[in-house]
Amino acid sequence: MPSAQALQLWAAFRAGPKQVDLALPQRREASERAEGPTAEPVGITYQEAPEVGGLWAVPRAAREGAAVLYLFGGGYVLGSPASRRKTAGHLATATGARVLVPSYRLAPEHPFPAALEDAVRAWRWLLGQGARADRSVVMGDSSGGGLAVATLLALRQQRERLPAGCVPLSPWADLLCTGESMRTRAAVDMMCTRDSLLEMGRWYLAGHEAQDPLASPVYGDFTGLPSLLALVGGDEVLRDDAVRLVCAAASGGADATLFIGAGMQHLWPIWAGALPEADAALGMIGTWVRERTS
Amino acid sequence: MPSAQALQLWAAFRAGPKQVDLALPQRREASERAEGPTAEPVGITYQEAPEVGGLWAVPRAAREGAAVLYLFGGGYVLGSPASRRKTAGHLATATGARVLVPSYRLAPEHPFPAALEDAVRAWRWLLGQGARADRSVVMGDSSGGGLAVATLLALRQQRERLPAGCVPLSPWADLLCTGESMRTRAAVDMMCTRDSLLEMGRWYLAGHEAQDPLASPVYGDFTGLPSLLALVGGDEVLRDDAVRLVCAAASGGADATLFIGAGMQHLWPIWAGALPEADAALGMIGTWVRERTS
């Protein structure tokens, strides 16, 4: 049963205009306010990271060498590091790690593989800044969750050092949108529709093969990749993207954990301080990341 | 990557006779030795529970009112409380709760719903022995994991008090065996085959509808049921039974967690002390159960 706070937030979503009905410039503007309900994190120092067009969230007691690379979501067409500033702060506190939120180029202006190239570059830059691969994880939400996993596939291909774990939140990892939940959870998902996902996917792919694992990692072979923790809402059409990622990760030889938050909508873990469920999700992520990076 | 101990155990399984090739009396005999590799638990007092034909495992510091109802596995045709004696002890230590392992009637002598009736009766008896529903969970492995979930569906139907959680291990929860993993993990699963599962399913069902959620809970509506934690091996044909249970649980309104142990075979959590992965699984179960029953 969702908390009273969650039910109140869902009611506000239901009352407001649907993002998917807006034109792209208005959707981009709206996506910058995604963290509106999120509480301001305490004890975080923010720094610019101009080399990757992003920001750092540094916790009071940052663990030596520990870092999180966080890839913001927005269907590969929306979003920015600033749109996940507070989430980065809460994650820094939860994990005891410095959190880097880089920019990456967006579609339709910059289609596949621009976002992936930028994410790989950000990981390399992070390691150059004193982060240790074995004390770091790659995270992301929505398309950023899919991109996080695609980044690991690209790093493996390029024989780069891999992080100690990967934590996709409400990941979008199948640009063909073939999961059963696309149909079975459509009536309860207030934020995503299959049609709008497919539209953004077309912009990102710009004719590239959707089943390329570097675009849709559910189709990938995960051999040699690190452990994975996926969190997703029970009321998301994207639920099965998370399910399929954990199955693929385990088949590839890494332990995989899936948490499905009952009654939760897309991206719920970003609303820390506003939803007790988000605070619990951050606690779970923090424990998982610390266990794998200490 | 599985531990050296796990790889050694899998090699022994591969070298030995396959249980599924044995006649039923020999399979029953072999199933009594399933816990062979399991370490003897320390600090556990065992007591008989003749009223339910089973046994109690009582830990040194049993938490007041906390209990686990544990349903042994064996395809509804094999197994006994004695075949999970050591597992019950390790679970008692991990959860700080008294663990009851009742008997239930087996097929083909006693087909559906005999096992379910006995499991429901064992839960009622447990509550009569001082267990508090809100401090107790129902667990089980393999067919016992499916039976654990079916028991909750039956208790809800009968308006009985429900436990605080449900923990199926390597559950068999679709007697039709329609999960994709039946095919995709067949080459790596050393313990279960779709054919032998279907044969045992036919014995248990004895003509009853396989899609009845009380026999195959993946087809059930989980509304009102408690949180669920499922553990399954990445190399099990039954993997998707666990996946489908957590999805159904979350759709019904309860938080659901899935852990897929990479490279793990059917039932791996019962080999505590022999496999580090089993010890880790017990730690995870203990934390989860304590959080929900304290």
Side-chain angles (χ1 to χ4, degrees):
Chain A
M1 184 66 189
S3 65
Q5 296 94 316
L7 294 175
Q8 208 173 349
L9 189 59
W10 306 163
F13 287 155
R14 215 181 281 116
K18 269 205 185 306
Q19 261 205 42
V20 297
D21 295 334
L22 303 172
L24 184 56
Q26 284 73 45
R27 275 159 82 176
R28 284 187 169 162
E29 207 184 299
S31 77
E32 293 302 314
R33 296 189 297 271
E35 277 188 334
T38 311
E40 188 65 36
V42 174
I44 297 297
T45 307
Y46 287 101
Q47 295 164 2
E48 294 189 358
E51 298 87 343
V52 292
L55 60 87
W56 283 105
V58 183
R60 264 192 200 123
R63 292 181 294 122
E64 177 72 24
V68 174
L69 176 67
Y70 190 95
L71 301 165
F72 64 83
Y76 294 108
V77 303
L78 317 168
S80 70
S83 73
R84 293 296 182 276
R85 184 187 62 81
K86 290 192 275 188
T87 299
H90 290 293
L91 283 168
T93 303
T95 62
R98 298 159 63 94
V99 178
L100 175 68
V101 191
S103 258
Y104 58 83
R105 285 168 289 166
L106 296 178
E109 296 86 344
H110 303 280
F112 177 90
L116 183 62
E117 287 171 357
D118 294 350
V120 166
R121 197 172 69 85
W123 171 251
R124 283 198 195 113
W125 184 79
L126 183 67
L127 296 184
Q129 298 303 301
R132 276 178 48 176
D134 64 348
R135 291 198 185 163
S136 299
V137 300
V138 177
M139 287 189 62
D141 64 81
S142 196
S143 55
L147 183 57
V149 182
T151 299
L152 302 201
L153 293 170
L155 292 171
R156 185 190 58 188
Q157 207 171 59
Q158 297 168 28
R159 299 177 181 279
E160 293 274 355
R161 281 167 293 170
L162 292 170
C166 184
V167 186
L169 311 177
S170 298
W172 182 29
D174 173 16
L175 300 193
L176 288 173
C177 299
T178 62
E180 209 179 282
S181 55
M182 285 287 157
R183 185 177 49 77
T184 59
R185 307 315 286 161
V188 288
D189 190 322
M190 298 172 195
M191 324 250 309
C192 296
T193 66
R194 183 164 190 266
D195 283 348
S196 79
L197 289 166
L198 285 173
E199 179 183 47
M200 295 188 292
R202 278 191 300 271
W203 288 340
Y204 179 51
L205 290 166
H208 189 83
E209 173 56 61
Q211 285 195 47
D212 180 346
L214 295 177
S216 295
V218 295
Y219 299 105
D221 173 348
F222 283 51
T223 304
L225 296 197
S227 299
L228 191 136
L229 168 67
L231 287 84
V232 71
D235 289 355
E236 296 197 42
V237 292
L238 286 169
R239 186 198 66 198
D240 288 357
D241 284 44
V243 167
R244 291 157 79 193
L245 284 180
V246 299
C247 289
S251 293
D255 290 339
T257 307
L258 171 69
F259 177 79
I260 312 182
M264 290 299 105
Q265 291 287 325
H266 192 53
L267 301 186
W268 100 93
I270 76 168
W271 294 303
L275 307 186
E277 290 91 345
D279 295 337
L282 283 163
M284 193 183 316
I285 294 165
T287 302
W288 191 92
V289 169
R290 285 171 190 267
E291 279 175 7
R292 275 152 195 86
T293 61
S294 294
Chain B
M1 184 67 188
S3 65
Q5 296 93 319
L7 294 175
Q8 208 172 350
L9 189 58
W10 305 163
F13 287 155
R14 214 180 284 116
K18 268 207 186 310
Q19 260 206 41
V20 296
D21 295 334
L22 304 173
L24 184 54
Q26 283 72 45
R27 275 160 82 175
R28 284 187 169 161
E29 206 183 298
S31 77
E32 293 301 313
R33 296 189 298 271
E35 276 187 336
T38 311
E40 188 65 37
V42 174
I44 297 296
T45 307
Y46 288 101
Q47 295 164 3
E48 294 189 357
E51 298 87 343
V52 292
L55 60 87
W56 284 105
V58 183
R60 264 193 199 121
R63 293 182 293 121
E64 177 73 25
V68 173
L69 177 66
Y70 190 93
L71 301 164
F72 64 82
Y76 295 107
V77 303
L78 318 168
S80 69
S83 73
R84 293 297 182 274
R85 182 186 64 81
K86 290 192 273 188
T87 299
H90 290 293
L91 284 167
T93 302
T95 62
R98 298 160 62 95
V99 177
L100 176 68
V101 191
S103 259
Y104 57 83
R105 285 168 289 165
L106 297 178
E109 295 86 345
H110 303 280
F112 178 91
L116 184 62
E117 287 171 358
D118 293 350
V120 166
R121 196 171 70 84
W123 171 252
R124 283 199 195 113
W125 184 78
L126 183 67
L127 295 184
Q129 299 302 301
R132 277 178 47 177
D134 64 346
R135 291 199 185 162
S136 299
V137 301
V138 177
M139 287 189 63
D141 64 80
S142 196
S143 56
L147 183 57
V149 182
T151 300
L152 302 200
L153 293 170
L155 291 171
R156 186 190 58 189
Q157 206 172 59
Q158 297 169 28
R159 300 180 181 279
E160 292 274 354
R161 282 168 294 168
L162 292 169
C166 184
V167 186
L169 310 178
S170 298
W172 182 29
D174 174 16
L175 299 193
L176 287 173
C177 299
T178 63
E180 208 179 283
S181 55
M182 285 287 157
R183 185 177 50 78
T184 59
R185 307 316 285 162
V188 287
D189 189 322
M190 299 172 195
M191 324 249 311
C192 296
T193 66
R194 183 164 189 266
D195 282 348
S196 80
L197 288 166
L198 285 173
E199 178 184 48
M200 295 189 291
R202 277 192 300 271
W203 288 341
Y204 179 51
L205 290 165
H208 189 83
E209 173 57 61
Q211 284 196 48
D212 180 347
L214 295 177
S216 295
V218 295
Y219 300 105
D221 173 349
F222 283 52
T223 305
L225 297 197
S227 298
L228 190 135
L229 168 66
L231 287 84
V232 72
D235 288 355
E236 296 198 41
V237 292
L238 286 169
R239 186 198 67 198
D240 288 357
D241 284 43
V243 167
R244 292 156 79 193
L245 283 181
V246 298
C247 288
S251 294
D255 291 338
T257 307
L258 171 70
F259 177 79
I260 312 184
M264 291 298 106
Q265 292 287 326
H266 192 52
L267 300 186
W268 99 93
I270 75 168
W271 295 303
L275 306 187
E277 291 91 345
D279 295 336
L282 283 163
M284 193 184 315
I285 295 165
T287 302
W288 192 92
V289 169
R290 285 170 191 267
E291 278 174 9
R292 277 153 193 85
T293 60
S294 293

